[in-house]
Amino acid sequence: MSHIKTARSLRIMCNIPIFCWISATVLQQILTQSDTEIPKTLTEMYCHFLITQTSIKNEKYGESYDRDPEKLLESNRTVLLKLAKLAFKQLMMWNVMFYEEDLRESGIDLTEASVYSGICTEIFREECVLYQRKVYSFVHLSFQEFLAALYVFHCYLIKNNKALEVFNPWFIRWTENVPLDKLLCVAVDKVLKSQNGHLDLFFRFLLGISLESGQKILQGLLIHTESSSESINRTVQHIKESMENEYLPNDRSVNLSLCLTEVKDQHLPRKIQEFLKS
C-alpha cells in the first residue's frame, strides 16, 4: 500500500477493481524477489502482469518452467504476439468481444486461447433462443489496450508499416524507416481526435513500452530493443504543445498529463507546485 501511494499513476487506477487485482498479483510475486525493481508506472505493472500470467500458464500445463522473464517471454512469443495482434485489430474496430473467426484471422488456435485463460478468457453469451456462440474477450479492456500497444511497438521494430498506417492521417505509405517520434506524435493526434477517449489508455501504454525501461522488461518478447530517449523527448514536447491548445477539452488535457506521468516527466507536478506556491 505504501508503494502504491507513492506512485501517482498507480494510485489513480485503484478505483478499478481489476487493477487492484492485477497490482496484488504482481506485487505478491515481486516483493519476494530482491533483484526485481517494483513497478512505478501503469505500463510497468502490466508488463509484469503479462510475465506473471505466462509463468502461471507454464506451471499449470507442465511446460518448461524458467524463472528468467526474458526466456519465459521468448518461449511464448509466438502466441503472445498473436494475442497482441488480435487485441490491436479489435480495438481499432471498438470491439471488446470477438468470435472464433476473429481468433482464426489472427492465427490463434482455439486450444491456445483456452490455455492462456489468464489473459484471454472464454465467456458465453446467448445470442438467440436457438443456439449459443462462443464469445471471447480479454480479462479487461485495459489489458486489451496494453496488448494492442505492444503489437504496435512490435510492428515498429520489425518495420511492418502496413499495420502502422492506421495512424497516418493522410494514409500515405510511410518509408521503411519511420522515426519513432513521428509514429508517437501522429498517434497523439489520433488519440486527441478519438471519440469517447477510447484510445487514451492505449497511448499511455504505447509511450510506456517505448521507454527503454519498458523495453527492458519485455526483452524476449520484443525482437530487439533500441535507444528511444531522444524520440520520447520530442514526443513529450509535442504533447506539451498540444496541451497549450485553449480549445482542448479538459478530459483530453488530463489524459495527456497522465501520459507525461507515464514517461516519468515531472512537468505536471512542477506546474502544480508552482501554482500552489503562487
Side-chain angles (χ1 to χ4, degrees):
M1 290 300 296
S2 61
H3 174 72
I4 293 291
K5 288 177 181 178
T6 60
R8 181 175 178 270
S9 63
L10 300 182
R11 188 173 69 252
I12 285 175
M13 294 294 291
C14 283
N15 58 68
I16 304 173
I18 193 76
F19 179 75
C20 294
W21 170 67
I22 288 174
S23 300
T25 302
V26 169
L27 294 175
Q28 186 177 20
Q29 294 287 327
I30 287 184
L31 292 176
T32 62
Q33 303 168 3
S34 58
D35 58 340
T36 304
E37 186 176 350
I38 301 177
K40 293 184 175 65
T41 67
L42 188 65
T43 304
E44 290 175 358
M45 187 69 77
Y46 276 62
C47 286
H48 282 289
F49 179 71
L50 178 64
I51 294 171
T52 300
Q53 290 300 318
T54 305
S55 175
I56 291 173
K57 187 274 300 181
N58 273 24
E59 287 186 75
K60 181 178 179 180
Y61 291 93
E63 299 178 19
S64 58
Y65 179 66
D66 199 318
R67 290 187 176 275
D68 185 344
E70 183 175 350
K71 293 180 179 178
L72 183 67
L73 291 177
E74 185 176 358
S75 63
N76 289 274
R77 178 194 292 159
T78 300
V79 175
L80 290 177
L81 288 178
K82 288 178 182 178
L83 289 171
K85 179 180 180 180
L86 172 70
F88 173 69
K89 185 175 181 179
Q90 297 301 317
L91 183 67
M92 292 300 107
M93 296 189 292
W94 295 34
N95 292 338
V96 296
M97 293 184 178
F98 19 91
Y99 301 100
E100 293 180 7
E101 53 266 33
D102 299 319
L103 271 66
R104 292 194 183 97
E105 283 183 14
S106 296
I108 300 172
D109 181 86
L110 297 182
T111 304
E112 292 176 330
S114 62
V115 167
Y116 284 79
S117 56
I119 300 168
C120 190
T121 305
E122 185 177 6
I123 62 175
F124 293 88
R125 183 177 67 184
E126 188 173 338
E127 293 199 328
C128 74
V129 296
L130 297 178
Y131 66 94
Q132 289 183 333
R133 285 183 70 187
K134 289 183 178 180
V135 182
Y136 298 84
S137 73
F138 290 95
V139 291
H140 190 254
L141 174 59
S142 62
F143 199 73
Q144 181 178 348
E145 292 166 311
F146 167 73
L147 285 178
L150 170 62
Y151 180 71
V152 168
F153 191 71
H154 166 72
C155 288
Y156 165 76
L157 290 179
I158 66 171
K159 304 187 186 305
N160 179 5
N161 289 347
K162 185 176 181 180
L164 303 179
E165 285 176 2
V166 67
F167 298 106
N168 193 326
W170 303 283
F171 294 98
I172 301 172
R173 296 192 68 179
W174 279 337
T175 58
E176 182 176 336
N177 296 310
V178 180
L180 179 59
D181 59 287
K182 182 177 181 179
L183 170 63
L184 294 175
C185 286
V186 296
V188 171
D189 298 335
K190 187 173 181 67
V191 167
L192 291 177
K193 294 176 182 177
S194 67
Q195 299 180 28
N196 304 321
H198 82 290
L199 293 177
D200 287 359
L201 210 51
F202 158 80
F203 182 66
R204 282 179 66 184
F205 284 129
L206 181 58
L207 275 177
I209 292 171
S210 301
L211 283 178
E212 291 172 30
S213 57
Q215 295 181 55
K216 182 179 179 181
I217 299 173
L218 295 173
Q219 285 185 97
L221 185 54
L222 301 175
I223 58 170
H224 65 266
T225 59
E226 64 173 51
S227 175
S228 61
S229 55
E230 291 186 10
S231 292
I232 293 294
N233 289 337
R234 285 192 285 267
T235 305
V236 165
Q237 185 59 39
H238 180 67
I239 291 174
K240 291 177 180 178
E241 291 171 359
S242 300
M243 292 176 68
E244 293 173 359
N245 183 348
E246 60 180 310
Y247 299 107
L248 186 69
N250 287 338
D251 59 335
R252 308 286 87 194
S253 181
V254 168
N255 180 60
L256 290 181
S257 69
L258 291 172
C259 289
L260 293 179
T261 304
E262 199 65 29
V263 295
K264 304 173 184 177
D265 182 89
Q266 295 300 309
H267 172 76
L268 182 63
R270 282 198 301 267
K271 286 288 185 181
I272 293 173
Q273 287 299 323
E274 290 172 7
F275 174 76
L276 292 174
K277 288 178 181 179
S278 67

